[in-house]
Amino acid sequence: MNRQEVLRAYRQMRLARAFETKVAELYQKGRMGGFSHLYTGEEAVAVGALWPLRPDDHVLGSYRDHVYLLVRGTDPGAVMAELYGHSDGCCKGLGGSMHLYDRERNFHGGYAIVAGECPVAVGLGLSVKYREGDQVVVCFFGDGATNQGVYHEALNMAGLWKLPIVFVCENNEYAIGTSVERSSAERNLARKASVYGMPAEAVDGMDFFKMVSAAERAVARARRGEGPTFIEARCYRYRGHSMSDPATYRSKEEVEFWRGRDVLEKLRGQIRHDFEVPDEEFDGLDAEVREAIEAAVAVAEAGRELSLEEARKLVYVRP
Ligand SMILES: Cc1ncc(C[n+]2csc(CCOP(=O)(O)OP(=O)(O)O)c2C)c(N)n1
């Protein structure tokens, strides 16, 4: 990767972090309703896994979904307005935090049902194969999803039919407050997936470069028609499961251990060292990101909710 590319990766990660820090603040001020599940700490997984994709590739995620859209290039104002439930939102305010969607960028949804995105990814993968395309489907889900029946059905079909899918499991060690050891008979989630006819590997999800190289291998395999790959990204979320979770089930030491391996700090250190990027250049990028976030908040604040009549027209269609 060259200097320009690594700085682009840093900017994407910084934008993701700053966006969600702002969301936490605005959520606490009551500016948005519904649930809000933040990705803070896991940014290297999304930025790394999506790095090799082309605009015509497909992406799906769970309810912890804000960052995927930002990385895919959805306007931050459209994501923020969606969280406000406003009509400028990427789903005109009808989806909200857990149900983001951007057809133009082939982001096919945030799914609030755990593992709900996995069979949809199989459908998309099958459609790519049927049309003899070379697009790839990247499907994100948490460790908790690997205990769902539909997840196993989806992986089985993807492996059997050699579909062009990259399954990215964000193993952040917890499903709400239940740790992997207490919920999965097989704690090694890569091994658990490997029986479905696909290569499966565990990757340090706190390291952007390791995520990129795993994703590049998986995407290349899928494009060559060799079928799916499973990546277990070992990572950690700094915050509770959602904004209403005080996360009392884990110790301060545990959180501090992971914060000490912060993905943004790590990437900044690597770039500073390898490309001799001066601090002022990082400061410039940080300032640019702050402005982008302010602009996003301004879009959301200035917006309005759809009227019931407008909403009804979008939700119901005549058969
Ligand atoms: C089928 C189903 N069962 C239970 C829930 C309630 N629920 C919401 S999030 C969650 C935990 C999922 O954890 P994980 O898949 O590890 O994702 P993470 O939140 O760690 O990103 C559960 C059990 C749900 N939404 N859907």
Side-chain angles (χ1 to χ4, degrees):
M1 247 185 237
N2 62 32
R3 188 180 200 277
Q4 204 187 348
E5 286 170 328
V6 290
L7 285 173
R8 184 157 62 89
Y10 173 83
R11 192 187 181 284
Q12 286 185 351
M13 254 194 243
R14 174 58 78 195
L15 181 75
R17 178 73 55 92
F19 183 91
E20 295 216 311
T21 305
K22 197 61 175 180
V23 169
E25 184 191 316
L26 293 166
Y27 189 89
Q28 271 154 352
K29 284 187 183 157
R31 303 299 299 151
M32 19 182 106
F35 285 100
S36 185
H37 305 80
L38 303 183
Y39 202 69
T40 311
E42 302 185 20
E43 295 88 350
V45 179
V47 178
L50 296 175
W51 191 261
L53 292 200
R54 300 190 312 229
D56 61 333
D57 290 323
H58 303 281
V59 180
L60 305 100
S62 68
Y63 44 82
R64 202 178 294 289
D65 58 352
H66 311 157
V67 171
Y68 311 131
L69 282 95
L70 298 177
V71 177
R72 288 299 274 165
T74 307
D75 183 77
V79 183
M80 193 65 90
E82 188 59 36
L83 306 188
Y84 271 61
H86 284 171
S87 59
D88 294 323
C90 53
C91 308
K92 300 194 184 304
L94 298 177
S97 172
M98 294 193 290
H99 304 286
L100 300 178
Y101 185 83
D102 185 344
R103 181 70 188 88
E104 221 178 291
R105 287 170 192 80
N106 287 328
F107 182 80
H108 300 277
Y111 288 81
I113 300 297
V114 173
E117 63 274 38
C118 298
V120 184
V122 169
L124 277 163
L126 188 59
S127 94
V128 169
K129 190 163 177 169
Y130 186 74
R131 292 165 208 242
E132 298 179 3
D134 71 341
Q135 293 84 6
V136 173
V137 181
V138 175
C139 178
F140 293 95
F141 48 88
D143 42 274
T146 72
N147 300 322
Q148 288 290 103
V150 72
Y151 161 84
H152 293 275
E153 292 181 41
L155 262 74
N156 183 55
M157 287 163 109
L160 181 68
W161 294 335
K162 293 208 175 314
L163 302 180
I165 305 175
V166 183
F167 292 102
V168 182
C169 175
E170 294 157 342
N171 182 1
N172 59 19
E173 303 202 1
Y174 291 95
I176 311 188
T178 307
S179 65
V180 175
E181 315 58 309
R182 292 176 57 225
S183 59
S184 183
E186 171 57 76
R187 282 169 59 182
N188 183 329
L189 303 183
R191 191 187 305 151
K192 190 173 173 183
S194 65
V195 296
Y196 292 118
M198 65 185 84
E201 65 170 316
V203 178
D204 180 359
M206 304 299 278
D207 186 309
F208 167 72
F209 294 106
K210 288 186 181 147
M211 276 308 301
V212 172
S213 61
E216 279 175 345
R217 284 194 300 279
V219 166
R221 240 178 73 74
R223 285 214 207 285
R224 288 195 300 268
E226 291 172 18
T229 301
F230 177 94
I231 299 173
E232 177 191 350
R234 296 204 171 140
C235 58
Y236 200 74
R237 59 168 157 76
Y238 293 169
R239 293 178 172 271
H241 168 72
S242 70
M243 286 301 293
S244 46
D245 171 17
T248 45
Y249 44 84
R250 42 189 208 178
S251 69
K252 212 170 132 227
E253 292 74 30
E254 180 182 306
V255 180
E256 271 168 16
F257 166 80
W258 285 94
R259 278 188 179 270
R261 305 178 60 211
D262 184 64
V263 293
L264 258 169
E265 290 307 313
K266 185 169 179 173
L267 183 62
R268 186 170 166 147
Q270 284 167 321
I271 299 174
R272 190 195 283 123
H273 178 266
D274 295 348
F275 294 89
E276 294 175 13
V277 174
D279 277 334
E280 303 80 70
E281 202 166 335
F282 286 113
D283 294 345
L285 280 174
D286 292 353
E288 222 181 85
V289 163
R290 273 197 301 278
E291 269 171 38
I293 301 297
E294 273 165 35
V297 176
V299 170
E301 287 284 339
R304 62 166 185 94
E305 284 179 23
L306 288 180
S307 68
L308 261 185
E309 201 39 52
E310 289 169 315
R312 212 173 275 131
K313 277 190 199 144
L314 291 167
V315 172
Y316 298 107
V317 286
R318 285 184 194 284

